[in-house]
Amino acid sequence: MHQSRLRGAPTGTNTSEKRMARFAQQKVLVTGAGSGIGRATALAFVKEGAYVIAVDLGKASLKETAQLITAKGGECETHVADVSDQVAMTALAKKVHAKHGALDVLVNNAGIGASGRFLETSIETWDKVHAVNVRGVMLGCKLFLPAMVERGHGHVVNTASMAGYFSAPDLPIYAASKYAVLGFSEALRMDMKSKGIGVSAICPGIVNTNIVATTVSEGEAAKWQSGAVAFYKKRNYGPEKVADAILKAVQHNRAVVPVSPEAWAGYYLKRFMPGLARTLASNPLPFMK
Ligand SMILES: NC(=O)c1ccc[n+]([C@@H]2O[C@H](COP(=O)([O-])OP(=O)(O)OC[C@H]3O[C@@H](n4cnc5c(N)ncnc54)[C@H](O)[C@@H]3O)[C@@H](O)[C@H]2O)c1
């Protein structure tokens, strides 16, 4: 069993509910916990007995997450912070370490989307997306890992994407950021192995969250953004499934975790038929036509 796995504690009171909570008393920090995959992950950890430290840019959305957690009888605290801001994240790490000591699980999940053909993208968007998606993940690790290493166990989850191994012509910025997260996570995993720290990269496919509605769409891509929102809604693959995969990744110390049928199909296609993968990725999806 992976060292970061929590010592279990019974959940529930009646016999059918009596099983071991997988993350009892574990301290789990989740970024981007105000929405989508981050919120679902926070709720899933709480359900398994963890104490969640929820971080996001949005105060109102964090409050909603906290209400959902307390409604389920769980415990959490919330912090408003921009994951790309070194000063804010350093202050957060100081506060968290003073109160709780080392984290058991760090989930670097906050991220933003970007779409548009390369020549239509702006340098500002490149900088913004890389600040959140790459620098945010790096800062989380830089600031929270040393205490975990000192204690000698823990687990880091970085939310990459299917776009971290399967690119597309309209995703140059997003794919570059997620390839970076995947490459970083693999390097970190090898580095941290001897220190008792597991590292997992989660690679979801098309998941029904707010991400497409808030994606920065440039050029032609701006014209089909509302179609993409409708497509993701219709696909209706819930963030709870990603949360479930995240908990299993921590429990079993999984390295790279595609989530959803298309993410798995892309994973194997890219590995065994890369030419076909590129042809398929170059074809516009129905909402782009
Ligand atoms: N939804 C998908 O289809 C999908 C697929 C693959 C990967 N992902 C990745 O999953 C992660 C979560 O995305 P989601 O789909 O739940 O999106 P979402 O928009 O529902 O949630 C993202 C959350 O991150 C927060 N956030 C954004 N920038 C931040 C910052 N600088 N500091 C702190 N918080 C910030 C937002 O406020 C929001 O609450 C992202 O890294 C995303 O790239 C999503």
Side-chain angles (χ1 to χ4, degrees), residues 91-282:
L92 173 70
K94 208 172 158 193
K95 244 189 260 172
V96 168
H97 288 140
K99 187 168 173 193
H100 301 288
L103 295 174
D104 294 292
V105 183
L106 166 66
V107 185
N108 289 305
N109 165 76
I112 52 176
S115 62
R117 296 286 165 127
F118 175 66
L119 294 180
E120 298 179 326
T121 59
S122 64
I123 294 170
E124 290 72 22
T125 307
W126 277 88
D127 288 345
K128 185 176 172 191
V129 172
H130 282 257
V132 179
N133 293 9
V134 185
R135 183 179 159 80
V137 171
M138 177 279 291
L139 275 178
C141 293
K142 202 78 179 153
L143 296 164
F144 289 100
L145 256 178
M148 294 162 90
V149 168
E150 199 184 328
R151 194 197 41 199
H153 67 92
H155 200 101
V156 176
V157 175
N158 295 329
T159 309
S161 169
M162 173 187 175
Y165 51 78
F166 195 96
S167 194
D170 289 285
L171 296 175
I173 305 179
Y174 188 70
S177 75
K178 295 301 185 177
Y179 268 72
V181 172
L182 188 53
F184 168 62
S185 304
E186 291 197 307
L188 193 66
R189 180 181 172 89
M190 292 181 261
D191 182 10
M192 290 294 133
K193 191 175 176 194
S194 61
K195 299 172 171 55
I197 310 289
V199 179
S200 303
I202 307 298
C203 303
I206 294 166
V207 185
N208 188 15
T209 68
N210 289 331
I211 196 157
V212 185
T214 56
T215 283
V216 183
S217 295
E218 294 173 297
E220 284 291 305
K223 295 184 188 158
W224 46 255
Q225 185 166 6
S226 58
V229 172
F231 178 80
Y232 271 61
K233 263 202 186 113
K234 200 167 167 208
R235 166 83 174 83
N236 200 24
Y237 192 88
E240 311 74 34
K241 292 181 180 159
V242 184
D244 185 45
I246 288 175
L247 267 65
K248 287 187 179 129
V250 177
Q251 195 177 4
H252 302 293
N253 192 18
R254 291 183 176 143
V256 179
V257 183
V259 190
S260 80
E262 64 277 5
W264 277 108
Y267 186 71
Y268 285 115
L269 206 59
K270 190 66 194 287
R271 181 167 288 190
F272 298 115
M273 287 183 267
L276 179 61
R278 277 189 290 275
T279 304
L280 289 176
S282 300

Side-chain angles (χ1 to χ4, degrees), residues 29-32 54-59 62 79-93 108 110-112 127-140 143-144:
L29 187 144
V30 183
T31 68
V55 179
D56 204 290
L57 272 184
K59 199 173 179 180
L62 270 180
H79 297 269
V80 174
D82 178 345
V83 294
S84 67
D85 180 340
Q86 187 180 350
V87 174
M89 289 301 285
T90 303
L92 173 70
N108 289 305
I112 52 176
D127 288 345
K128 185 176 172 191
V129 172
H130 282 257
V132 179
N133 293 9
V134 185
R135 183 179 159 80
V137 171
M138 177 279 291
L139 275 178
L143 296 164
F144 289 100

